[in-house]
Amino acid sequence: MLITLVVSSVNYLSAQTFRQAFADSLYTELQKNDNGTLQADLYNQLARLYYDQDIKKSLTFGDSALRIASRNKYSKGIKEAQNILQRVNQRMGIYSTAFEYTLDNLIRTEHDMDTAQMLDSYITMGNINSNMENYGEAQLYFHKALALAQKSRSTQQANIMNYIGRAHGKLMRFDSAEHWIKRALRLEILQPQPGATLAYIYNNLGEIHLYQKEYDSALFFYNQAALDSARTNLYGRTFTLIGLAQIYHAQQQPEKAIAALEASLAISLKNSYRDKTREAYGLLYPIYEERGEFKKAFDYYRLFVTYRDSVFNASLTQYIENQNISLENESLRRETELKDSRLRQQRLMLWMIALAALLTIPLAFSLLYAYRLRTRSNNLLRNYNHDLKNKVQERTQELTKTNIELARHNNQLEEYQFITAHNLRGPVARILGLINIINGNSFQWPRDKEVVDKLTQATVDLDNIVHDLSHVLHVKRVGTSTYEPVILSKRVLRIKSTLKDLILDSGTVFQEDYTQVDTISTIPTYIESILYNLIANAIKFRSPERKPVVTIKTFASENQVAIHIRDNGLGIDLPLVRDKLYGLYQRFHTHVEGRGLGLYLVKAQVDALSGSIEIESAPDKGTTFRIRFPRNS
C-alpha cells in the first residue's frame, strides 16, 4: 500500500511541474504590472494554484491579494481573496481565522447574491463546524450548499453529498452516511470533475467501514483513494495514510501503522496541516505505549497536546499529574520494601542471639531482655509500615480525586473558551460586517432595511449568549448557605401557572404523587429551575400522535430523596446523543424553538446540589428523568 502511495507521489509531481510553469508565468506578469486590481487578480490566481501544492505559499499570496484589493477598494478581489483564505486557514486548522473570513465573505456574497461565492462559503462553514466536531451545525450548512448547488446546477454537488455523508458517519449513522457518499460516487463517476473529489469519496467510504471494524472493506476503499493518483492532493493523501494506520493498528501491525503515520507527518508538517498533524500524533503515542516505549509515547503525547486547539492544555496537565502520582507511589513502595528488608535482617539477628543464649547461660537473662526490646521495636516498625501503607493509599485517593476535579474544571474552561471563540464570535462578526455595509457608499434607506433587521437579530443573538453565560456562571458561584425548606407540590403548581397557555394549547394532563415526600431542604431557585426545564421540555417535545401526559412522583429512603418526571413524548435516541446530552447548546429536536441550554442548566444545578440525574428514553416511547438528592441536603 505504501508503495502505491509513492507511485502516486511521482504522478503528482509530474502534474505539479506543469502547474509550476504556469505559476512562473503568472509571477513574471505580476512583476511587470503595477495596476492594483490586476495585481490582486494575479495574486488570487497564484493562491488558488498553490492551494493543493504548497499551502504556505497559498496563504502568502492570498494575504497579498486581500491587502492590495482592500487598499484599492476592489470588491471582487476582496471576495475572491477571502474565499481562498477561508479555505486555506480551515485546511491549516486555524478555525477561528477561517470562521472570520468565511462569515465576512458570506455577508458580502449574500448581499450581492453572488451564487458561486455563497456556495464556497456554505461549504467552508460546514467543514469548519465538522472539524470542530459540531456535526449537526455542519449538516445545516452542507444542506444549504446542496440546495444552492442543485438550483444553480453547480459541479460541486458530488463534493457536498460526500461532506454530508461524512458528517453522518461521524455521528455513527452509517446507513445514512453510506447512502449520501455512494450517491456522490455515482454522480462523480457519471460526471467526473477536476480535483480530488473521487479520492475523498473513497477515503470517506473507507472511514465508514473502519468505524464498523470492517477492515477488509476499509482497506479496499483506501486503496482506491491511493490509486486515484492523477487527481489526488497532498491533504487527501494524509487522510488515506491516517486511515491505513488505524487499520494496521487494529490488525496488530504496529510497524506498518507507524510507517503510514510518519509518511502522513512528513506531508502535514511541511504544509502546516495542523489538524492532520494532531491526528497523527494522537495515533502514534498509544501505539508506542502499547509497545512499552514510554519515552516515545510521552514525547508524542506532548506533541499531540501542543497541537490541540486548547488554551489550557487540560490533557497535558492530567498526564503530568498522573505521572507525579505514579512517581510518588513508586518512591513510597521502595521505601516500604527497604524497611521490610531491615525487619527481616533484625529477625535473623534475634535468632542468632537466641542461639547464642542457649550456649551461653550466664548471658541468657541479658539477651532475653535485649530480645524483648528488639521485639518491641519490631512491633513499632511493623505498625509504622502499616500506617505508611495506609497513608500511601490515602494520598493516592486524594491525588486521584484532585486529578478528576482538575479534569472536570479544565473541561469547563475549554467549554467556556469554545463559547467565547465560536458562539460569541459569530454575532460579533455579523454585527461588524453589517456595520461595514451600512457605512459603505452602497447602503440606501429604506431599500436596504433588511441589513438593519439582520443587525438587530445579530444583537439579540449576542445578548442571549451573554445572558446564558451569566446564568451558567451564577450556577457555579452559589453555595449551600441558601438552603431552605421547599414544598415541591406548591413549586410545581407555580410552574404550571407559568406554563398555563402551553398546557391549555397542548391539552397536557398531569399525574402527581407526593405521598412519600413533599418538603425538601434545598436552594429554591435551583429546584424550581430544574422542575421548570424538565416539565417545559416534556410538553414542548410531545408526540402529535397522542395526548401528552406528564407524571411526577417523589420517593424517600433513609439517605436520599428522589423525584421522577416521566412523559409520553417524542423521546431521544440515547445511543447516538448520550455523550452530548447535557452539553451546552445541544439540541436533539429542531422543530421547536430553543437554544439547547435547558438540560445543561439542569445537570449543573443538580451537581451543585450534590445530586445525580439519570435518563431513560427511546424514540416515540417518551422520556423519564430520575433525580436524587442527599437526604440531609
Side-chain angles (χ1 to χ4, degrees):
M1 179 62 224
L2 294 179
I3 293 173
T4 302
L5 286 173
V6 171
V7 172
S8 70
S9 297
V10 173
N11 293 337
Y12 181 77
L13 288 173
S14 63
Q16 179 178 340
T17 304
F18 172 77
R19 288 196 296 269
Q20 185 62 51
F22 180 50
D24 290 341
S25 68
L26 290 175
Y27 195 72
T28 301
E29 182 69 21
L30 186 64
Q31 300 302 313
K32 295 191 299 184
N33 204 298
D34 58 359
N35 180 282
T37 56
L38 183 56
Q39 283 185 330
D41 287 339
L42 289 169
Y43 273 123
N44 276 325
Q45 285 188 66
L46 285 166
R48 284 194 298 272
L49 188 63
Y50 278 102
Y51 178 66
D52 284 326
Q53 175 182 336
D54 189 330
I55 199 76
K56 292 179 182 177
K57 283 188 178 181
S58 182
L59 177 64
T60 301
F61 290 134
D63 282 336
S64 298
L66 182 61
R67 184 177 65 254
I68 294 171
S70 299
R71 188 169 62 228
N72 289 273
K73 296 182 180 179
Y74 178 32
S75 178
K76 178 175 177 289
I78 291 172
K79 284 193 294 185
E80 289 185 358
Q82 286 183 328
N83 179 275
I84 187 65
L85 286 171
Q86 70 194 27
R87 290 188 288 129
V88 168
N89 282 280
Q90 182 258 324
R91 178 167 284 189
M92 294 176 70
I94 310 172
Y95 302 130
S96 58
T97 304
F99 185 84
E100 289 175 357
Y101 279 129
T102 308
L103 197 57
D104 189 44
N105 204 32
L106 191 56
I107 292 170
R108 292 175 183 272
T109 54
E110 284 181 340
H111 182 265
D112 297 341
M113 295 304 295
D114 188 335
T115 302
Q117 294 281 1
M118 283 171 60
L119 185 59
D120 278 346
S121 295
Y122 284 143
I123 292 172
T124 305
M125 286 291 281
N127 280 325
I128 292 170
N129 279 282
S130 184
N131 289 334
M132 297 175 75
E133 299 182 0
N134 191 5
Y135 303 115
E137 192 75 13
Q139 286 191 335
L140 292 177
Y141 282 109
F142 288 143
H143 280 287
K144 279 186 178 181
L146 183 59
L148 189 60
Q150 290 172 337
K151 183 178 179 181
S152 62
R153 297 185 178 180
S154 169
T155 58
Q156 295 206 61
Q157 292 181 49
N159 198 27
I160 299 166
M161 291 175 187
N162 187 35
Y163 289 141
I164 293 173
R166 186 167 191 259
H168 277 295
K170 291 293 187 181
L171 292 169
M172 303 304 163
R173 301 169 183 166
F174 300 123
D175 290 341
S176 297
E178 196 159 359
H179 163 78
W180 280 103
I181 299 174
K182 286 190 174 179
R183 186 176 167 187
L185 180 60
R186 287 193 297 270
L187 183 58
E188 180 65 16
I189 291 173
L190 185 65
Q191 300 174 348
Q193 302 298 324
T197 300
L198 187 60
Y200 280 120
I201 289 172
Y202 285 133
N203 275 327
N204 288 340
L205 284 171
E207 187 175 64
I208 290 171
H209 288 282
L210 175 63
Y211 288 158
Q212 299 177 85
K213 298 183 180 179
E214 298 170 356
Y215 300 123
D216 290 340
S217 298
L219 192 60
F220 169 78
F221 286 117
Y222 282 126
N223 272 311
Q224 292 297 112
L227 290 171
D228 188 31
S229 57
R231 297 195 297 164
T232 190
N233 57 39
L234 293 172
Y235 192 70
R237 275 204 291 282
T238 63
F239 271 91
T240 306
L241 287 164
I242 288 174
L244 288 170
Q246 290 176 291
I247 294 173
Y248 294 145
H249 185 202
Q251 293 180 335
Q252 304 297 318
Q253 300 181 63
E255 297 297 340
K256 285 188 176 181
I258 291 169
L261 291 170
E262 287 177 347
S264 176
L265 277 173
I267 297 171
S268 57
L269 286 171
K270 180 180 178 181
N271 291 277
S272 299
Y273 299 154
R274 287 160 49 93
D275 55 341
K276 293 299 161 191
T277 304
R278 181 195 63 210
E279 281 187 53
Y281 286 143
L283 291 169
L284 276 168
Y285 84 79
I287 293 175
Y288 279 110
E289 187 176 17
E290 291 169 6
R291 287 160 60 97
E293 298 181 40
F294 299 112
K295 173 67 168 59
K296 284 187 177 180
F298 183 72
D299 289 342
Y300 281 122
Y301 183 82
R302 285 193 305 176
L303 289 168
F304 167 68
V305 172
T306 300
Y307 273 85
R308 279 183 46 184
D309 190 17
S310 168
V311 175
F312 303 102
N313 287 330
S315 295
L316 178 59
T317 304
Q318 277 187 258
Y319 191 84
I320 293 173
E321 184 67 21
N322 287 336
Q323 298 306 309
N324 287 335
I325 292 172
S326 300
L327 184 61
E328 184 172 346
N329 286 345
E330 180 65 17
S331 176
L332 291 171
R333 184 185 65 79
R334 290 181 179 178
E335 184 178 345
T336 302
E337 288 179 352
L338 180 60
K339 292 182 183 296
D340 287 339
S341 175
R342 290 176 179 172
L343 182 61
R344 287 193 297 271
Q345 290 177 357
Q346 290 172 354
R347 285 176 176 171
L348 179 60
M349 180 71 70
L350 288 174
W351 279 109
M352 293 177 66
I353 292 172
L355 180 61
L358 292 174
L359 300 174
T360 314
I361 298 300
L363 298 176
F365 287 103
S366 60
L367 292 175
L368 180 60
Y369 179 70
Y371 172 75
R372 288 178 177 176
L373 288 178
R374 294 279 186 177
T375 302
R376 181 179 176 82
S377 297
N378 289 341
N379 288 335
L380 290 173
L381 185 59
R382 188 179 297 106
N383 290 335
Y384 173 75
N385 284 338
H386 181 72
D387 290 341
L388 186 61
K389 290 179 181 178
N390 289 338
K391 288 179 180 178
V392 170
Q393 293 176 351
E394 291 173 3
R395 178 60 176 159
T396 300
Q397 291 173 354
E398 290 174 4
L399 289 172
T400 302
K401 184 178 180 181
T402 302
N403 192 24
I404 293 170
E405 182 63 25
L406 177 63
R408 187 181 66 82
H409 183 63
N410 281 335
N411 285 336
Q412 291 175 353
L413 291 177
E414 285 186 348
E415 194 170 56
Y416 296 147
Q417 184 254 346
F418 171 78
I419 296 167
T420 303
H422 182 69
N423 296 78
L424 285 178
R425 192 181 299 275
V428 170
R430 291 206 307 274
I431 290 171
L432 292 175
L434 291 165
I435 289 174
N436 286 336
I437 293 174
I438 292 172
N439 290 335
N441 296 329
S442 64
F443 180 80
Q444 291 184 10
W445 182 267
R447 185 197 69 186
D448 293 328
K449 180 178 180 295
E450 183 184 356
V451 176
V452 177
D453 293 340
K454 287 184 177 180
L455 179 60
T456 302
Q457 184 58 48
T459 307
V460 170
D461 292 343
L462 180 61
D463 181 66
N464 287 335
I465 292 171
V466 172
H467 181 268
D468 292 345
L469 284 174
S470 175
H471 199 166
V472 170
L473 292 173
H474 176 72
V475 171
K476 307 300 179 184
R477 289 199 302 268
V478 177
T480 57
S481 58
T482 56
Y483 276 52
E484 60 184 73
V486 171
I487 300 175
L488 295 174
S489 57
K490 289 186 177 181
R491 293 286 168 170
V492 171
L493 186 62
R494 187 157 71 179
I495 291 168
K496 289 195 291 186
S497 177
T498 304
L499 298 172
K500 178 178 64 177
D501 292 340
L502 184 59
I503 293 171
L504 290 175
D505 290 343
S506 62
T508 302
V509 175
F510 283 83
Q511 298 175 351
E512 302 173 44
D513 182 358
Y514 307 100
T515 53
Q516 292 197 32
V517 60
D518 193 16
T519 302
I520 63 173
S521 177
T522 186
I523 301 176
T525 55
Y526 276 21
I527 194 65
E528 185 163 334
S529 174
I530 292 167
L531 293 171
Y532 176 88
N533 278 300
L534 294 180
I535 292 171
N537 282 354
I539 300 172
K540 285 195 294 183
F541 302 116
R542 60 189 178 273
S543 171
E545 304 297 328
R546 50 188 171 271
K547 188 172 185 177
V549 177
V550 179
T551 303
I552 303 171
K553 183 174 176 63
T554 60
F555 300 88
S557 65
E558 184 179 351
N559 300 318
Q560 289 184 330
V561 295
I563 305 171
H564 291 189
I565 300 177
R566 184 173 72 250
D567 64 62
N568 63 341
L570 294 173
I572 303 171
D573 195 347
L574 285 180
L576 288 179
V577 302
R578 187 177 295 277
D579 292 341
K580 298 182 179 181
L581 188 63
Y582 300 109
L584 194 56
Y585 296 125
Q586 296 295 328
R587 301 185 63 204
F588 311 113
H589 297 290
T590 56
H591 68 286
V592 178
E593 184 180 355
R595 297 199 302 277
L597 187 65
L599 286 182
Y600 176 86
L601 288 175
V602 168
K603 181 67 166 66
Q605 289 164 337
V606 169
D607 289 345
L609 295 172
S610 301
S612 64
I613 183 168
E614 297 174 359
I615 182 173
E616 180 182 321
S617 186
D620 203 38
K621 299 294 184 183
T623 302
T624 301
F625 285 94
R626 300 182 181 89
I627 308 167
R628 296 182 177 85
F629 301 111
R631 183 73 174 183
N632 58 354
S633 64

